[in-house]
Amino acid sequence: MQGRLSAWLVKHGLVHRSLGFDYQGVETLQIKSEDWHSIAVILYVYGYNYLRSQCAYDVAPGGLLASVYHLTRIEYGMDQPEEVCIKVFVPRGNPRIPSIFWVWKSADFQERESYDMLGISYDNHPRLKRILMPESWIGWPLRKDYIVPNFYEIQDAY
Amino acid sequence: MAAASCYITSIKLPTFSWNTASRKPPQKRFSFQISAQQQAEVQESEQVKAENENETEKQGNLKQKTLRPVEPQVNVRSRNLARDYGGQWLSSVTRHVRIYAAYIDPKTCAMDQTQMDKLTLILDPTDEFLWTDDTCNKVYAYFQELVDHYEGADLTEYTLRLIGSDIEHYIRKMLYDGELKYNMNSRVLNFSMGKPRMKFNSNELPDVK
């Protein structure tokens, strides 16, 4: 079953894949990394002016990394705003996604956090550096194949 | 540790330098260990250093390693890093091991951070353990080995923390083997490396190397 937005995108000939609806009824789409920036601008023009959240996760060890964007439309007096969830999958070896900072400013720190934790680098982000871990950290902590180095401070409780 | 060592090999620049010295000022039981490497560009002293290294290698074949002396410096003033370095403070500090990427004068405790080619180790400033010359020198020799091993890695807090953690694990191993004892007169007695146990040996723990 295709959602409204998916039908609209198909009508305009934009390449995407519909991933159905999640448990809250939010439509989910999968978009390729190279098309993402242009589709983001198109969605912004369409009316989605609020990037509610941007997160990322590791799909499987040795698999892909996913960057998830939750968009909605904020307007005065609107009761049930339309929302859409967009996932961009990238290979683990060269995880590069165009940054949408210039479209929605709230992506600034959120993309930095995805970079810090999973190593997905966002092209054209103005200051892409580590935000949670110390700047000299090596490794991407939230990847499923990350091994914690044997620091003394990390000990099992007796 | 396997993961940590494969991170280190992928990094380039040789930035560590090596000389060692240890002093104990009489009033405080601070043991300092300053290690600095020889720069490859220094031509004339290269030969002398090669001889020193050969000597220490021969002596290292025996049980005790002699520590390489460092020239004592006079008129050391506390200096911070220049602004183009961003004013960073490269250090790794845990309860028993403090490593600073600076030259700290053993007597005046003036910290000169512009000499980034040296690492200073301050061992157990809170006196949780009872140290003898022998055990101190073992830790210093291990520190020396570690810095030689990490040579070629970036000078960041991450590598300093790895070095500090390795030394802490080594101290813990010495404690479990009985070479170190807790200091019962320490100001804070909380057995941070495990409560004392009867007939305990490091062989009984799976993760202590």
Side-chain angles (χ1 to χ4, degrees):
Chain A
M1 177 171 113
Q2 256 195 348
R4 261 191 53 210
L5 182 66
S6 187
W8 188 83
L9 286 176
V10 165
K11 197 169 71 171
H12 289 255
L14 295 164
V15 179
H16 72 284
R17 180 193 300 175
S18 171
L19 295 175
F21 295 83
D22 70 0
Y23 74 105
Q24 280 175 332
V26 175
E27 198 183 334
T28 310
L29 306 172
Q30 176 188 350
I31 292 185
K32 281 195 238 182
S33 171
E34 49 278 356
D35 303 331
W36 171 225
H37 189 75
S38 41
I39 295 188
V41 176
I42 291 171
L43 288 177
Y44 182 76
V45 170
Y46 178 83
Y48 287 100
N49 55 359
Y50 180 45
L51 174 73
R52 176 179 272 162
S53 93
Q54 187 277 330
C55 61
Y57 65 96
D58 188 356
V59 180
L64 305 166
L65 302 172
S67 177
V68 182
Y69 303 83
H70 208 96
L71 301 169
T72 177
R73 163 195 248 137
I74 293 264
E75 256 180 15
Y76 183 73
M78 184 172 268
D79 197 16
Q80 298 277 2
E82 337 171 328
E83 340 180 35
V84 66
C85 176
I86 295 180
K87 296 191 183 182
V88 180
F89 290 94
V90 277
R92 196 179 277 265
N94 185 20
R96 294 178 53 184
I97 301 182
S99 166
I100 50 160
F101 168 76
W102 304 104
V103 184
W104 294 286
K105 289 288 174 300
S106 59
D108 186 5
F109 278 17
Q110 307 196 35
E111 285 181 346
R112 274 178 69 181
E113 180 184 358
S114 308
Y115 167 71
D116 187 6
M117 291 287 118
L118 285 145
I120 303 175
S121 66
Y122 292 90
D123 304 329
N124 299 326
H125 188 102
R127 3 157 211 286
L128 190 70
K129 50 181 195 168
R130 291 198 182 257
I131 188 172
L132 296 172
M133 301 306 288
E135 284 187 12
S136 56
W137 200 265
I138 300 174
W140 312 115
L142 283 185
R143 283 201 184 174
K144 292 204 157 114
D145 50 5
Y146 176 71
I147 302 177
V148 182
N150 194 10
F151 285 125
Y152 174 70
E153 297 91 348
I154 302 170
Q155 287 180 22
D156 308 313
Y158 279 89
Chain B
M1 263 309 284
S5 47
C6 68
Y7 290 136
I8 298 293
T9 51
S10 62
I11 305 172
K12 331 152 232 167
L13 309 167
T15 48
F16 286 164
S17 300
W18 258 92
N19 272 326
T20 68
S22 62
R23 301 280 165 81
K24 281 187 207 159
Q27 58 277 23
K28 287 189 195 170
R29 284 219 61 222
F30 269 25
S31 332
F32 283 27
Q33 168 80 349
I34 306 173
S35 26
Q37 235 179 17
Q38 319 299 343
Q39 298 277 344
E41 298 95 18
V42 177
Q43 287 285 335
E44 56 220 355
S45 33
E46 216 176 18
Q47 209 191 10
V48 177
K49 271 112 200 205
E51 291 172 22
N52 282 345
E53 283 175 9
N54 286 339
E55 287 175 0
T56 52
E57 276 193 31
K58 283 187 211 148
Q59 288 168 344
N61 290 336
L62 316 171
K63 275 301 175 179
Q64 282 285 340
K65 274 201 178 170
T66 58
L67 303 172
R68 288 174 252 178
V70 76
E71 309 91 36
Q73 304 184 11
V74 289
N75 288 338
V76 178
R77 278 175 44 235
S78 267
R79 270 191 230 131
N80 291 327
L81 282 183
R83 183 186 286 190
D84 32 316
Y85 282 97
Q88 331 166 26
W89 166 285
L90 291 171
S91 68
S92 156
V93 170
T94 57
R95 180 164 176 183
H96 313 107
V97 163
R98 295 186 191 175
I99 301 179
Y100 295 96
Y103 175 80
I104 301 185
D105 196 70
K107 301 227 171 53
T108 66
C109 296
M111 179 159 149
D112 183 6
Q113 279 182 294
T114 54
Q115 301 188 25
M116 270 169 51
D117 56 337
K118 301 185 178 55
L119 299 182
T120 303
L121 165 72
I122 303 180
L123 185 61
D124 203 6
T126 51
D127 280 331
E128 194 189 359
F129 300 109
L130 292 170
W131 294 94
T132 63
D133 269 340
D134 202 22
T135 51
C136 277
N137 286 336
K138 283 179 79 165
V139 177
Y140 298 154
Y142 189 67
F143 180 45
Q144 207 168 356
E145 254 180 61
L146 276 182
V147 177
D148 285 339
H149 172 72
Y150 277 93
E151 176 181 335
D154 279 343
L155 183 63
T156 58
E157 287 212 357
Y158 191 78
T159 44
L160 292 186
R161 282 185 66 196
L162 286 173
I163 296 176
S165 294
D166 286 339
I167 300 179
E168 291 271 7
H169 286 305
Y170 186 71
I171 295 177
R172 190 154 73 134
K173 190 166 84 78
M174 288 212 299
L175 176 73
Y176 288 161
D177 287 338
E179 298 161 14
L180 276 185
K181 296 190 193 334
Y182 282 109
N183 176 15
M184 293 299 167
N185 296 327
S186 63
R187 203 166 63 90
V188 181
L189 180 65
N190 52 11
F191 302 120
S192 72
M193 286 198 172
K195 290 236 181 78
R197 287 183 246 193
M198 299 284 293
K199 295 187 192 136
F200 189 66
N201 197 322
S202 62
N203 296 331
E204 297 178 19
L205 273 189
D207 56 335
V208 172
K209 288 184 280 279

